[in-house]
Amino acid sequence: MSIVVTGGSGQVGRSLKKILPNAVYLSSKDYDLTYELDVVKMFETYKPNVIIHLAAKVGGIIDNISKPAEYFDDNIIMNTLLLKYSLKYNVNRFIGILSTCVYPDIVENYPILESDIHLGPPTKTNFSYGYAKRSLAVQIDAYNQQYSTKYQYLIPCNLYGEYDKYGDNSHFIAALIKKIHTAKINNHDSIILFGDGNPLRQFIHSDDLAFVIKYCLDNNIYDCMNVATSENLSISDMARIAFLSCGVNKMDIIYDTSKPNGQYRKDASTKLLKEKIPSFNPIKLKDGIKKTYDYLIKNNIL
């Protein structure tokens, strides 16, 4: 079985490689997945039976707001080309990774079920990205309906982990860890966070998403489902957890309310996930941040 993982150098790809070492892990340095000839070359070279599609244009809230066309175009193009040629080259297993940004900005009932995906538009702060990733769900459903494929998408909540980006345009937990560490080594007594600290978020370690991907592959699970943790915490609570996990006993938070909060809540239901993978036991946020921070310090990344 030939398995190709796109976005293989990203945080989920690196987590997956630890438990699925025999797959081919490709990055943008190998192929430009928004360029059709590169996609064809990839399929011709590896002739995969399985595509695990992790590649995406991703970034923080400010970058999403300032570059909506890029987030839409790049994700729509690469998703469409990957699916088109997966069908043409008889790929029998396709697993695409979405995001809870695909869900409506507001729903009547929380946590959000997989069936709620089309009940309204995504949040404005991730509007283009959310619609582009939602379109991948539409495409996969359409292929399964028309061509009787068994393609699948997973909808993870926010991700974090050792292999995230810790420079500019970081995701929230990565940026939070970096801010805390910088304040800690400079003996500052506070950090600044965007918004008012009230929005609620679920965060899952990239190792846990990698586990779910491999479990679905190994156990012939084709359901399209959320991948999340039951922890749904405020930004403020997550910051205080991160302080302790990073070895900080006391530090204040200054909220910059001139910056956007983003979506107030988007917690995803884990009911289907627990039905299909009852053994799934994601790492607690406090333990995951400590694991991440210890790795970053040991490897001189911060």
Side-chain angles (χ1 to χ4, degrees):
M1 183 168 61
S2 174
I3 303 173
V4 164
V5 180
T6 69
S9 64
Q11 66 168 331
V12 181
R14 292 177 68 183
S15 287
L16 188 60
K17 194 171 185 177
K18 294 188 294 187
I19 57 175
L20 191 65
N22 295 326
V24 175
Y25 291 83
L26 301 175
S27 75
S28 57
K29 293 180 180 178
D30 301 301
Y31 300 98
D32 180 352
L33 299 181
T34 66
Y35 183 52
E36 191 163 8
L37 292 180
D38 262 21
V39 174
V40 172
K41 190 185 298 183
M42 184 194 80
F43 278 91
E44 284 289 339
T45 300
Y46 295 104
K47 296 178 172 54
N49 308 112
V50 176
I51 292 286
I52 300 174
H53 182 34
L54 307 178
K57 181 176 177 61
V58 297
I61 187 171
I62 300 300
D63 207 49
N64 270 270
I65 292 170
S66 63
K67 300 174 184 176
E70 291 180 27
Y71 278 89
F72 189 82
D73 285 354
D74 288 357
N75 286 299
I76 283 286
I77 292 168
M78 73 173 77
N79 294 343
T80 299
L81 291 176
L82 262 293
L83 274 174
K84 174 183 176 180
Y85 285 99
S86 289
L87 183 71
K88 185 173 181 178
Y89 281 83
N90 298 310
V91 169
N92 54 35
R93 192 72 197 266
F94 182 102
I95 302 177
I97 304 302
L98 276 58
S99 159
T100 48
C101 291
V102 303
Y103 283 124
D105 187 16
I106 300 172
V107 296
E108 289 188 8
N109 298 295
Y110 292 90
I112 304 172
L113 299 171
E114 291 81 358
S115 57
D116 294 337
I117 190 169
H118 298 298
L119 294 183
T123 184
K124 291 182 179 179
T125 49
N126 295 95
F127 191 78
S128 291
Y129 175 76
Y131 257 127
K133 297 297 274 187
R134 187 187 293 190
S135 294
L136 178 56
V138 174
Q139 287 176 297
I140 288 173
D141 289 339
Y143 274 54
N144 289 342
Q145 178 181 340
Q146 184 169 345
Y147 303 118
S148 299
T149 49
K150 290 184 176 180
Y151 295 169
Q152 176 188 24
Y153 55 85
L154 299 173
I155 310 175
C157 63
N158 297 282
L159 294 166
Y160 73 100
E162 295 90 311
Y163 312 122
D164 205 343
K165 298 175 182 177
Y166 290 88
D168 296 332
N169 200 26
S170 298
H171 294 108
F172 175 70
I173 293 293
L176 178 62
I177 290 172
K178 186 176 179 180
K179 284 184 178 184
I180 291 171
H181 178 72
T182 300
K184 179 181 176 182
I185 62 175
N186 288 290
N187 295 314
H188 295 162
D189 57 6
S190 65
I191 60 170
I192 298 173
L193 297 180
F194 288 179
D196 60 16
N198 291 320
L200 302 172
R201 292 291 183 269
Q202 292 165 304
F203 271 89
I204 195 167
H205 194 284
S206 59
D207 285 356
D208 288 321
L209 177 57
F211 168 83
V212 171
I213 292 170
K214 187 175 186 296
Y215 191 97
C216 288
L217 193 62
D218 292 344
N219 295 277
N220 297 316
I221 294 174
Y222 300 97
D223 299 80
C224 299
M225 57 188 174
N226 296 325
V227 181
T229 171
S230 58
E231 291 181 294
N232 185 37
L233 304 169
S234 72
I235 298 297
S236 177
D237 286 340
M238 285 189 285
R240 291 187 175 89
I241 287 170
F243 287 153
L244 297 177
S245 296
C246 295
V248 174
N249 293 323
K250 181 174 176 55
M251 191 174 287
D252 293 328
I253 305 169
I254 299 170
Y255 293 104
D256 183 355
T257 54
S258 70
K259 297 295 193 298
N261 264 329
Q263 201 168 357
Y264 173 64
R265 66 181 297 185
K266 56 174 183 173
D267 40 305
S269 170
T270 59
K271 182 180 179 182
L272 182 57
L273 175 68
K274 290 175 180 177
E275 287 176 3
K276 297 298 176 181
I277 312 179
S279 61
F280 183 57
N281 184 29
I283 186 170
K284 297 291 185 184
L285 185 65
K286 65 180 180 65
D287 299 321
I289 292 179
K290 185 178 189 308
K291 175 176 180 283
T292 299
Y293 185 66
D294 290 346
Y295 174 89
L296 297 174
I297 296 301
K298 181 179 178 181
N299 290 277
N300 297 311
I301 295 172
L302 291 177

mmCIF file of all heavy atoms in Angstrom, residues 251-290:
data_model
loop_
_atom_site.group_PDB
_atom_site.id
_atom_site.type_symbol
_atom_site.label_atom_id
_atom_site.label_comp_id
_atom_site.label_asym_id
_atom_site.label_seq_id
_atom_site.Cartn_x
_atom_site.Cartn_y
_atom_site.Cartn_z
ATOM 1 N N MET A 251 1.628 35.908 36.657
ATOM 2 C CA MET A 251 1.803 36.830 35.542
ATOM 3 C C MET A 251 0.443 37.390 35.179
ATOM 4 O O MET A 251 -0.561 36.671 35.176
ATOM 5 C CB MET A 251 2.430 36.112 34.338
ATOM 6 C CG MET A 251 2.900 37.046 33.222
ATOM 7 S SD MET A 251 3.802 36.165 31.908
ATOM 8 C CE MET A 251 5.364 35.818 32.736
ATOM 9 N N ASP A 252 0.394 38.666 34.911
ATOM 10 C CA ASP A 252 -0.863 39.313 34.568
ATOM 11 C C ASP A 252 -1.128 39.226 33.063
ATOM 12 O O ASP A 252 -0.207 39.036 32.260
ATOM 13 C CB ASP A 252 -0.838 40.781 34.996
ATOM 14 C CG ASP A 252 -0.801 40.946 36.508
ATOM 15 O OD1 ASP A 252 -1.384 40.083 37.202
ATOM 16 O OD2 ASP A 252 -0.191 41.925 36.984
ATOM 17 N N ILE A 253 -2.402 39.407 32.722
ATOM 18 C CA ILE A 253 -2.809 39.436 31.320
ATOM 19 C C ILE A 253 -3.408 40.798 31.020
ATOM 20 O O ILE A 253 -4.322 41.253 31.715
ATOM 21 C CB ILE A 253 -3.854 38.343 31.009
ATOM 22 C CG1 ILE A 253 -3.340 36.962 31.418
ATOM 23 C CG2 ILE A 253 -4.211 38.371 29.516
ATOM 24 C CD1 ILE A 253 -4.415 35.883 31.377
ATOM 25 N N ILE A 254 -2.900 41.457 30.003
ATOM 26 C CA ILE A 254 -3.471 42.718 29.523
ATOM 27 C C ILE A 254 -4.210 42.417 28.226
ATOM 28 O O ILE A 254 -3.621 41.882 27.284
ATOM 29 C CB ILE A 254 -2.370 43.768 29.272
ATOM 30 C CG1 ILE A 254 -1.627 44.065 30.570
ATOM 31 C CG2 ILE A 254 -2.968 45.042 28.678
ATOM 32 C CD1 ILE A 254 -0.374 44.910 30.376
ATOM 33 N N TYR A 255 -5.494 42.729 28.205
ATOM 34 C CA TYR A 255 -6.307 42.428 27.026
ATOM 35 C C TYR A 255 -6.386 43.652 26.116
ATOM 36 O O TYR A 255 -6.769 44.741 26.558
ATOM 37 C CB TYR A 255 -7.705 41.979 27.438
ATOM 38 C CG TYR A 255 -7.697 40.647 28.152
ATOM 39 C CD1 TYR A 255 -7.855 40.572 29.541
ATOM 40 C CD2 TYR A 255 -7.503 39.473 27.444
ATOM 41 C CE1 TYR A 255 -7.818 39.356 30.201
ATOM 42 C CE2 TYR A 255 -7.474 38.245 28.097
ATOM 43 C CZ TYR A 255 -7.628 38.199 29.469
ATOM 44 O OH TYR A 255 -7.579 36.988 30.114
ATOM 45 N N ASP A 256 -6.029 43.451 24.859
ATOM 46 C CA ASP A 256 -6.104 44.511 23.853
ATOM 47 C C ASP A 256 -7.449 44.406 23.155
ATOM 48 O O ASP A 256 -7.606 43.681 22.167
ATOM 49 C CB ASP A 256 -4.952 44.371 22.859
ATOM 50 C CG ASP A 256 -4.939 45.489 21.815
ATOM 51 O OD1 ASP A 256 -5.869 46.319 21.812
ATOM 52 O OD2 ASP A 256 -4.006 45.515 20.987
ATOM 53 N N THR A 257 -8.430 45.112 23.681
ATOM 54 C CA THR A 257 -9.790 45.000 23.150
ATOM 55 C C THR A 257 -9.983 45.747 21.832
ATOM 56 O O THR A 257 -11.064 45.699 21.247
ATOM 57 C CB THR A 257 -10.813 45.505 24.184
ATOM 58 O OG1 THR A 257 -10.466 46.834 24.585
ATOM 59 C CG2 THR A 257 -10.834 44.600 25.406
ATOM 60 N N SER A 258 -8.937 46.415 21.364
ATOM 61 C CA SER A 258 -9.008 47.010 20.024
ATOM 62 C C SER A 258 -8.839 45.947 18.947
ATOM 63 O O SER A 258 -9.154 46.177 17.780
ATOM 64 C CB SER A 258 -7.923 48.084 19.852
ATOM 65 O OG SER A 258 -6.628 47.511 19.789
ATOM 66 N N LYS A 259 -8.362 44.766 19.336
ATOM 67 C CA LYS A 259 -8.178 43.657 18.418
ATOM 68 C C LYS A 259 -9.395 42.723 18.492
ATOM 69 O O LYS A 259 -10.084 42.650 19.515
ATOM 70 C CB LYS A 259 -6.917 42.877 18.759
ATOM 71 C CG LYS A 259 -5.631 43.690 18.635
ATOM 72 C CD LYS A 259 -5.360 44.100 17.205
ATOM 73 C CE LYS A 259 -3.941 44.632 17.037
ATOM 74 N NZ LYS A 259 -3.653 45.834 17.832
ATOM 75 N N PRO A 260 -9.680 41.991 17.401
ATOM 76 C CA PRO A 260 -10.899 41.162 17.365
ATOM 77 C C PRO A 260 -10.828 39.947 18.280
ATOM 78 O O PRO A 260 -9.754 39.372 18.485
ATOM 79 C CB PRO A 260 -10.974 40.737 15.893
ATOM 80 C CG PRO A 260 -9.564 40.802 15.402
ATOM 81 C CD PRO A 260 -8.929 41.944 16.134
ATOM 82 N N ASN A 261 -11.988 39.580 18.808
ATOM 83 C CA ASN A 261 -12.120 38.362 19.591
ATOM 84 C C ASN A 261 -12.154 37.121 18.718
ATOM 85 O O ASN A 261 -11.742 36.046 19.124
ATOM 86 C CB ASN A 261 -13.428 38.384 20.399
ATOM 87 C CG ASN A 261 -13.229 38.866 21.817
ATOM 88 O OD1 ASN A 261 -12.184 38.661 22.416
ATOM 89 N ND2 ASN A 261 -14.243 39.518 22.351
ATOM 90 N N GLY A 262 -12.679 37.290 17.505
ATOM 91 C CA GLY A 262 -12.988 36.112 16.702
ATOM 92 C C GLY A 262 -14.305 35.512 17.163
ATOM 93 O O GLY A 262 -15.042 36.090 17.971
ATOM 94 N N GLN A 263 -14.600 34.342 16.670
ATOM 95 C CA GLN A 263 -15.840 33.642 16.992
ATOM 96 C C GLN A 263 -15.940 33.412 18.504
ATOM 97 O O GLN A 263 -14.949 33.051 19.144
ATOM 98 C CB GLN A 263 -15.831 32.306 16.252
ATOM 99 C CG GLN A 263 -17.166 31.646 16.045
ATOM 100 C CD GLN A 263 -17.044 30.500 15.051
ATOM 101 O OE1 GLN A 263 -15.989 30.256 14.489
ATOM 102 N NE2 GLN A 263 -18.137 29.808 14.799
ATOM 103 N N TYR A 264 -17.124 33.620 19.094
ATOM 104 C CA TYR A 264 -17.243 33.456 20.541
ATOM 105 C C TYR A 264 -17.058 32.000 20.952
ATOM 106 O O TYR A 264 -16.309 31.694 21.880
ATOM 107 C CB TYR A 264 -18.587 33.975 21.061
ATOM 108 C CG TYR A 264 -18.769 33.651 22.528
ATOM 109 C CD1 TYR A 264 -17.910 34.204 23.487
ATOM 110 C CD2 TYR A 264 -19.735 32.754 22.952
ATOM 111 C CE1 TYR A 264 -18.028 33.881 24.830
ATOM 112 C CE2 TYR A 264 -19.863 32.426 24.292
ATOM 113 C CZ TYR A 264 -19.014 32.986 25.231
ATOM 114 O OH TYR A 264 -19.125 32.656 26.552
ATOM 115 N N ARG A 265 -17.739 31.089 20.274
ATOM 116 C CA ARG A 265 -17.559 29.673 20.581
ATOM 117 C C ARG A 265 -17.812 28.846 19.334
ATOM 118 O O ARG A 265 -18.573 29.234 18.447
ATOM 119 C CB ARG A 265 -18.470 29.220 21.722
ATOM 120 C CG ARG A 265 -19.952 29.250 21.434
ATOM 121 C CD ARG A 265 -20.775 28.809 22.624
ATOM 122 N NE ARG A 265 -20.546 27.428 23.031
ATOM 123 C CZ ARG A 265 -21.233 26.804 24.004
ATOM 124 N NH1 ARG A 265 -22.162 27.458 24.669
ATOM 125 N NH2 ARG A 265 -20.980 25.551 24.305
ATOM 126 N N LYS A 266 -17.161 27.708 19.245
ATOM 127 C CA LYS A 266 -17.365 26.799 18.115
ATOM 128 C C LYS A 266 -17.046 25.366 18.536
ATOM 129 O O LYS A 266 -16.527 24.583 17.748
ATOM 130 C CB LYS A 266 -16.500 27.219 16.922
ATOM 131 C CG LYS A 266 -15.000 27.323 17.191
ATOM 132 C CD LYS A 266 -14.228 27.603 15.901
ATOM 133 C CE LYS A 266 -12.738 27.642 16.150
ATOM 134 N NZ LYS A 266 -11.977 27.744 14.882
ATOM 135 N N ASP A 267 -17.360 25.040 19.803
ATOM 136 C CA ASP A 267 -17.034 23.715 20.305
ATOM 137 C C ASP A 267 -17.777 22.637 19.529
ATOM 138 O O ASP A 267 -18.969 22.723 19.274
ATOM 139 C CB ASP A 267 -17.314 23.602 21.802
ATOM 140 C CG ASP A 267 -18.594 24.303 22.235
ATOM 141 O OD1 ASP A 267 -18.744 25.509 21.955
ATOM 142 O OD2 ASP A 267 -19.452 23.630 22.854
ATOM 143 N N ALA A 268 -17.014 21.618 19.151
ATOM 144 C CA ALA A 268 -17.520 20.540 18.302
ATOM 145 C C ALA A 268 -17.878 19.320 19.130
ATOM 146 O O ALA A 268 -17.171 18.953 20.082
ATOM 147 C CB ALA A 268 -16.466 20.174 17.260
ATOM 148 N N SER A 269 -18.963 18.679 18.760
ATOM 149 C CA SER A 269 -19.410 17.471 19.456
ATOM 150 C C SER A 269 -18.422 16.331 19.249
ATOM 151 O O SER A 269 -17.887 16.137 18.158
ATOM 152 C CB SER A 269 -20.778 17.056 18.920
ATOM 153 O OG SER A 269 -21.134 15.773 19.405
ATOM 154 N N THR A 270 -18.197 15.563 20.305
ATOM 155 C CA THR A 270 -17.326 14.391 20.213
ATOM 156 C C THR A 270 -18.126 13.082 20.277
ATOM 157 O O THR A 270 -17.556 12.008 20.427
ATOM 158 C CB THR A 270 -16.284 14.398 21.347
ATOM 159 O OG1 THR A 270 -16.971 14.401 22.617
ATOM 160 C CG2 THR A 270 -15.398 15.628 21.264
ATOM 161 N N LYS A 271 -19.440 13.183 20.147
ATOM 162 C CA LYS A 271 -20.286 11.993 20.277
ATOM 163 C C LYS A 271 -19.947 10.924 19.247
ATOM 164 O O LYS A 271 -19.743 9.754 19.585
ATOM 165 C CB LYS A 271 -21.766 12.398 20.144
ATOM 166 C CG LYS A 271 -22.735 11.233 20.309
ATOM 167 C CD LYS A 271 -24.188 11.682 20.177
ATOM 168 C CE LYS A 271 -25.130 10.490 20.326
ATOM 169 N NZ LYS A 271 -26.553 10.897 20.165
ATOM 170 N N LEU A 272 -19.885 11.302 17.962
ATOM 171 C CA LEU A 272 -19.595 10.322 16.915
ATOM 172 C C LEU A 272 -18.180 9.776 17.057
ATOM 173 O O LEU A 272 -17.943 8.576 16.878
ATOM 174 C CB LEU A 272 -19.796 10.955 15.536
ATOM 175 C CG LEU A 272 -19.576 10.042 14.313
ATOM 176 C CD1 LEU A 272 -20.493 8.828 14.382
ATOM 177 C CD2 LEU A 272 -19.800 10.824 13.018
ATOM 178 N N LEU A 273 -17.242 10.637 17.387
ATOM 179 C CA LEU A 273 -15.860 10.206 17.586
ATOM 180 C C LEU A 273 -15.776 9.139 18.669
ATOM 181 O O LEU A 273 -15.092 8.120 18.495
ATOM 182 C CB LEU A 273 -15.003 11.420 17.968
ATOM 183 C CG LEU A 273 -13.544 11.173 18.346
ATOM 184 C CD1 LEU A 273 -12.741 10.704 17.144
ATOM 185 C CD2 LEU A 273 -12.926 12.437 18.953
ATOM 186 N N LYS A 274 -16.469 9.350 19.766
ATOM 187 C CA LYS A 274 -16.417 8.385 20.866
ATOM 188 C C LYS A 274 -17.100 7.062 20.498
ATOM 189 O O LYS A 274 -16.706 6.000 20.970
ATOM 190 C CB LYS A 274 -17.068 8.990 22.116
ATOM 191 C CG LYS A 274 -16.236 10.116 22.738
ATOM 192 C CD LYS A 274 -16.960 10.769 23.899
ATOM 193 C CE LYS A 274 -16.134 11.896 24.509
ATOM 194 N NZ LYS A 274 -16.861 12.593 25.604
ATOM 195 N N GLU A 275 -18.116 7.162 19.640
ATOM 196 C CA GLU A 275 -18.779 5.937 19.180
ATOM 197 C C GLU A 275 -17.855 5.109 18.295
ATOM 198 O O GLU A 275 -17.813 3.881 18.401
ATOM 199 C CB GLU A 275 -20.051 6.295 18.399
ATOM 200 C CG GLU A 275 -21.200 6.793 19.248
ATOM 201 C CD GLU A 275 -22.393 7.216 18.404
ATOM 202 O OE1 GLU A 275 -22.334 7.064 17.160
ATOM 203 O OE2 GLU A 275 -23.383 7.700 18.991
ATOM 204 N N LYS A 276 -17.138 5.786 17.422
ATOM 205 C CA LYS A 276 -16.293 5.082 16.456
ATOM 206 C C LYS A 276 -14.934 4.695 17.034
ATOM 207 O O LYS A 276 -14.349 3.686 16.641
ATOM 208 C CB LYS A 276 -16.093 5.956 15.207
ATOM 209 C CG LYS A 276 -17.382 6.252 14.458
ATOM 210 C CD LYS A 276 -18.028 4.976 13.952
ATOM 211 C CE LYS A 276 -19.363 5.240 13.281
ATOM 212 N NZ LYS A 276 -19.998 3.983 12.801
ATOM 213 N N ILE A 277 -14.411 5.525 17.960
ATOM 214 C CA ILE A 277 -13.102 5.248 18.551
ATOM 215 C C ILE A 277 -13.227 5.384 20.069
ATOM 216 O O ILE A 277 -12.798 6.383 20.672
ATOM 217 C CB ILE A 277 -12.017 6.207 18.013
ATOM 218 C CG1 ILE A 277 -12.075 6.288 16.479
ATOM 219 C CG2 ILE A 277 -10.623 5.758 18.462
ATOM 220 C CD1 ILE A 277 -11.055 7.229 15.865
ATOM 221 N N PRO A 278 -13.840 4.404 20.716
ATOM 222 C CA PRO A 278 -14.084 4.510 22.156
ATOM 223 C C PRO A 278 -12.807 4.593 22.984
ATOM 224 O O PRO A 278 -12.836 5.076 24.123
ATOM 225 C CB PRO A 278 -14.883 3.241 22.482
ATOM 226 C CG PRO A 278 -14.674 2.319 21.325
ATOM 227 C CD PRO A 278 -14.425 3.171 20.136
ATOM 228 N N SER A 279 -11.685 4.157 22.433
ATOM 229 C CA SER A 279 -10.420 4.183 23.169
ATOM 230 C C SER A 279 -9.743 5.550 23.121
ATOM 231 O O SER A 279 -8.714 5.759 23.774
ATOM 232 C CB SER A 279 -9.459 3.135 22.599
ATOM 233 O OG SER A 279 -9.163 3.412 21.233
ATOM 234 N N PHE A 280 -10.307 6.491 22.363
ATOM 235 C CA PHE A 280 -9.666 7.795 22.197
ATOM 236 C C PHE A 280 -9.657 8.555 23.519
ATOM 237 O O PHE A 280 -10.689 8.788 24.130
ATOM 238 C CB PHE A 280 -10.403 8.608 21.135
ATOM 239 C CG PHE A 280 -9.775 9.944 20.835
ATOM 240 C CD1 PHE A 280 -8.464 10.032 20.419
ATOM 241 C CD2 PHE A 280 -10.511 11.117 20.971
ATOM 242 C CE1 PHE A 280 -7.889 11.261 20.142
ATOM 243 C CE2 PHE A 280 -9.949 12.350 20.691
ATOM 244 C CZ PHE A 280 -8.620 12.421 20.281
ATOM 245 N N ASN A 281 -8.467 8.943 23.943
ATOM 246 C CA ASN A 281 -8.308 9.634 25.230
ATOM 247 C C ASN A 281 -7.284 10.751 25.051
ATOM 248 O O ASN A 281 -6.106 10.577 25.359
ATOM 249 C CB ASN A 281 -7.845 8.645 26.305
ATOM 250 C CG ASN A 281 -7.762 9.279 27.677
ATOM 251 O OD1 ASN A 281 -8.498 10.225 27.998
ATOM 252 N ND2 ASN A 281 -6.859 8.778 28.507
ATOM 253 N N PRO A 282 -7.714 11.910 24.558
ATOM 254 C CA PRO A 282 -6.765 12.975 24.237
ATOM 255 C C PRO A 282 -6.060 13.535 25.462
ATOM 256 O O PRO A 282 -6.610 13.553 26.560
ATOM 257 C CB PRO A 282 -7.639 14.043 23.568
ATOM 258 C CG PRO A 282 -9.019 13.800 24.105
ATOM 259 C CD PRO A 282 -9.112 12.318 24.280
ATOM 260 N N ILE A 283 -4.852 13.995 25.253
ATOM 261 C CA ILE A 283 -4.047 14.573 26.322
ATOM 262 C C ILE A 283 -4.701 15.867 26.820
ATOM 263 O O ILE A 283 -5.226 16.656 26.043
ATOM 264 C CB ILE A 283 -2.599 14.831 25.831
ATOM 265 C CG1 ILE A 283 -1.709 15.299 26.971
ATOM 266 C CG2 ILE A 283 -2.576 15.831 24.686
ATOM 267 C CD1 ILE A 283 -0.227 15.347 26.599
ATOM 268 N N LYS A 284 -4.707 16.058 28.130
ATOM 269 C CA LYS A 284 -5.258 17.277 28.723
ATOM 270 C C LYS A 284 -4.404 18.481 28.319
ATOM 271 O O LYS A 284 -3.186 18.365 28.141
ATOM 272 C CB LYS A 284 -5.307 17.161 30.241
ATOM 273 C CG LYS A 284 -6.225 16.064 30.763
ATOM 274 C CD LYS A 284 -7.681 16.395 30.508
ATOM 275 C CE LYS A 284 -8.605 15.357 31.141
ATOM 276 N NZ LYS A 284 -10.036 15.621 30.819
ATOM 277 N N LEU A 285 -5.043 19.642 28.215
ATOM 278 C CA LEU A 285 -4.341 20.827 27.747
ATOM 279 C C LEU A 285 -3.133 21.153 28.637
ATOM 280 O O LEU A 285 -2.051 21.473 28.126
ATOM 281 C CB LEU A 285 -5.290 22.024 27.696
ATOM 282 C CG LEU A 285 -4.690 23.299 27.102
ATOM 283 C CD1 LEU A 285 -4.349 23.115 25.633
ATOM 284 C CD2 LEU A 285 -5.662 24.474 27.271
ATOM 285 N N LYS A 286 -3.291 21.065 29.947
ATOM 286 C CA LYS A 286 -2.177 21.409 30.835
ATOM 287 C C LYS A 286 -0.985 20.493 30.610
ATOM 288 O O LYS A 286 0.178 20.938 30.651
ATOM 289 C CB LYS A 286 -2.625 21.371 32.300
ATOM 290 C CG LYS A 286 -3.024 20.009 32.840
ATOM 291 C CD LYS A 286 -3.456 20.092 34.303
ATOM 292 C CE LYS A 286 -3.859 18.729 34.854
ATOM 293 N NZ LYS A 286 -2.704 17.778 34.910
ATOM 294 N N ASP A 287 -1.260 19.227 30.358
ATOM 295 C CA ASP A 287 -0.179 18.266 30.116
ATOM 296 C C ASP A 287 0.417 18.448 28.717
ATOM 297 O O ASP A 287 1.631 18.321 28.526
ATOM 298 C CB ASP A 287 -0.692 16.836 30.279
ATOM 299 C CG ASP A 287 -1.217 16.573 31.681
ATOM 300 O OD1 ASP A 287 -0.595 17.077 32.647
ATOM 301 O OD2 ASP A 287 -2.242 15.880 31.823
ATOM 302 N N GLY A 288 -0.448 18.760 27.753
ATOM 303 C CA GLY A 288 0.021 18.949 26.389
ATOM 304 C C GLY A 288 0.886 20.186 26.246
ATOM 305 O O GLY A 288 1.899 20.171 25.524
ATOM 306 N N ILE A 289 0.502 21.268 26.927
ATOM 307 C CA ILE A 289 1.321 22.485 26.862
ATOM 308 C C ILE A 289 2.663 22.253 27.550
ATOM 309 O O ILE A 289 3.709 22.686 27.056
ATOM 310 C CB ILE A 289 0.584 23.680 27.482
ATOM 311 C CG1 ILE A 289 -0.621 24.074 26.610
ATOM 312 C CG2 ILE A 289 1.526 24.875 27.635
ATOM 313 C CD1 ILE A 289 -1.434 25.225 27.144
ATOM 314 N N LYS A 290 2.650 21.542 28.674
ATOM 315 C CA LYS A 290 3.924 21.258 29.362
ATOM 316 C C LYS A 290 4.826 20.400 28.484
ATOM 317 O O LYS A 290 6.033 20.657 28.362
ATOM 318 C CB LYS A 290 3.680 20.556 30.696
ATOM 319 C CG LYS A 290 4.967 20.355 31.503
ATOM 320 C CD LYS A 290 4.721 19.713 32.848
ATOM 321 C CE LYS A 290 6.003 19.737 33.694
ATOM 322 N NZ LYS A 290 7.183 19.175 33.003
#
